[in-house]
Amino acid sequence: MALHFERSEFDARRDRLMIEMAEKKLDAILLFAQESMYWLTGYDTFGFCFFQCLVVKADGSMVLLTRSADLRQARHTSIIDNIVLWTDRNGANPAVDLRNLLNDLNLLGARIGVEYDTHGLTAYNGRRLDEQLQTFGQIADASGIVGRLRLFKSPAEIAKAEKAANLSDDALDAALPMIKQGGDEALILAAMQGAVFAGGGDYPANEFIIGSGVDALLCRYKAGRRKLTKNDQLTLEWAGVFHHYHAPMMRTVLTGKVSKRHQELFDAARAALLAVEKAMTPGNTFGDVFDAHARTMEAHGLTKHRLNACGYSVGARFTPSWMDMPMFYQGNPEPIAPHMTLFAHMIIMDSETETAMTLGRTYLTTESQPKPLSRHDLDLIVQ
């Protein structure tokens, strides 16, 4: 088997889930998020683009309903013993197969939790699921249960996050010599992703973000490459990834002369990130962390140029995004606690002057101040 954790690790995760299910009086939970399946069993696939479901009963027993293409995938990468297939055919409705499976598991009339809030369950399939279950049992939204369990990382998970962070640093090291006048974004991107692969890492759950010139103000990947000019700005957001665990970083790197506006924005970004670090401690909330960011931006007169979130939890994630919950935004009551891996990003986009500045890295929370997982400092990078 291609398992990345000891069996005892999976057993401990299952036991934590069983406790949550008992507290919520669930006889079973239907998991559709690939992250949940991977965390609980090791099951590693992108087959969640089709209908599949991991049924977990209150006694800890599990059954996977999936397609034939993922049968061997599940056998090879997971601890799942019981795998049931639904058949691709004209007019197939796998929600019917799931209802029949639940009936075979003696769950008729049971209280069943459903993990609705995931890309692994489209609205179309969700509607078909509800149609089949509306008279089958008592259905409850169980979307956040496994997600919150994943928020707190075990020592084995922290080791993978630290390896991912090393790969993030390697990617930046590979990029820096190429960031100069005439430097090609395509080659920079290839070097960064290549460094992650060469270090034993994986594809990220979303594309690396790269943009120079006016494109440096974008916070999402887009198609199209350009070459850097003498005095340019290059925004990069990337992540080292190891066994699907992500450690994102973010930087705006300058070529040539540093403009006054770039320096102003960098000073604000660095001050804001340090304020966020100070707030990222037990006793504070995710909302408190955002407030530290917002206050600093306001003090620098940059409120209209900042975003309405400044980071989020990270861990083992699958397409289409490495972003996890909870996020740093106003009023988020989720407490900061030890053993979380959190990405904080300071993003300032001044569209009036077409000036960009970003600064971000991944942290491990502790009993006191958070530990940065990057070996790079927070100095402004000018090539």
Side-chain angles (χ1 to χ4, degrees), residues 1 17 19 91 96-97 101-102 175 209 212-214 228 232 236-238 352 365 377 379:
M1 285 187 180
L17 177 57
I19 291 171
V96 173
D97 296 83
L101 172 59
L102 297 176
I209 296 166
S212 58
V214 178
L228 303 180
D232 215 330
L236 299 168
E237 185 178 18
W238 71 101
E352 297 170 1
T365 58
D377 58 33
D379 294 341

Side-chain angles (χ1 to χ4, degrees), residues 161-176 192 195-196 199 238 240 247-249 251 360-363 371-379 381:
E162 290 174 336
K163 171 63 174 177
N166 287 335
L167 295 176
S168 289
D169 286 332
D170 291 345
L172 180 57
D173 289 339
L176 288 177
M192 297 182 76
V196 175
W238 71 101
M249 291 180 67
R251 288 288 183 125
R361 60 184 178 182
T362 299
Y363 297 84
K371 173 188 174 184
L373 294 185
S374 172
R375 62 178 177 261
H376 282 272
D377 58 33
L378 296 180
D379 294 341
I381 303 176

Side-chain angles (χ1 to χ4, degrees), residues 104-172:
D104 292 342
L105 294 173
N106 297 316
L107 289 170
L108 180 64
R111 178 172 166 79
I112 301 172
V114 179
E115 198 174 44
Y116 285 107
D117 188 13
T118 169
H119 299 97
L121 183 64
T122 63
Y124 175 72
N125 282 329
R127 290 182 66 179
R128 295 205 290 180
L129 177 69
D130 287 343
E131 288 172 359
Q132 295 301 318
L133 297 185
Q134 60 184 345
T135 60
F136 184 87
Q138 182 183 355
I139 307 304
D141 188 343
S143 297
I145 292 179
V146 177
R148 193 164 194 285
L149 293 176
R150 293 193 303 104
L151 176 59
F152 305 95
K153 306 301 190 292
S154 69
E157 290 180 290
I158 291 171
K160 294 189 185 298
E162 290 174 336
K163 171 63 174 177
N166 287 335
L167 295 176
S168 289
D169 286 332
D170 291 345
L172 180 57

Side-chain angles (χ1 to χ4, degrees), residues 6-202:
E6 297 294 330
R7 181 60 188 253
S8 58
E9 176 91 4
F10 291 116
D11 290 344
R13 296 173 186 179
R14 178 204 60 207
D15 292 346
R16 290 172 62 195
L17 177 57
M18 289 170 63
I19 291 171
E20 288 294 315
M21 292 174 64
E23 290 181 353
K24 293 173 174 57
K25 297 180 172 56
L26 295 177
D27 298 304
I29 187 170
L30 309 184
L31 300 180
F32 291 92
Q34 183 58 41
E35 295 82 8
S36 297
M37 300 184 202
Y38 179 75
W39 180 81
L40 193 62
T41 72
Y43 180 38
D44 190 351
T45 182
F46 62 74
F48 62 92
C49 58
F50 297 96
F51 188 102
Q52 67 173 4
C53 178
L54 181 67
V55 182
V56 184
K57 295 183 68 176
D59 62 4
S61 61
M62 295 180 285
V63 183
L64 175 68
L65 176 67
T66 189
R67 300 167 65 246
S68 59
D70 278 297
L71 172 62
R72 292 163 187 80
Q73 195 86 7
R75 286 175 175 170
H76 186 63
T77 67
S78 81
I79 61 170
I80 304 170
D81 293 321
N82 194 347
I83 303 169
V84 176
L85 302 181
W86 66 269
T87 303
D88 296 287
R89 62 190 182 277
N90 185 44
N93 184 353
V96 173
D97 296 83
L98 178 56
R99 183 199 63 194
N100 293 337
L101 172 59
L102 297 176
N103 190 61
D104 292 342
L105 294 173
N106 297 316
L107 289 170
L108 180 64
R111 178 172 166 79
I112 301 172
V114 179
E115 198 174 44
Y116 285 107
D117 188 13
T118 169
H119 299 97
L121 183 64
T122 63
Y124 175 72
N125 282 329
R127 290 182 66 179
R128 295 205 290 180
L129 177 69
D130 287 343
E131 288 172 359
Q132 295 301 318
L133 297 185
Q134 60 184 345
T135 60
F136 184 87
Q138 182 183 355
I139 307 304
D141 188 343
S143 297
I145 292 179
V146 177
R148 193 164 194 285
L149 293 176
R150 293 193 303 104
L151 176 59
F152 305 95
K153 306 301 190 292
S154 69
E157 290 180 290
I158 291 171
K160 294 189 185 298
E162 290 174 336
K163 171 63 174 177
N166 287 335
L167 295 176
S168 289
D169 286 332
D170 291 345
L172 180 57
D173 289 339
L176 288 177
M178 310 175 76
I179 301 176
K180 58 188 177 182
Q181 181 180 359
D184 191 328
E185 286 182 2
L187 297 180
I188 294 168
L189 189 60
M192 297 182 76
Q193 188 64 82
V196 175
F197 288 152
D202 305 304

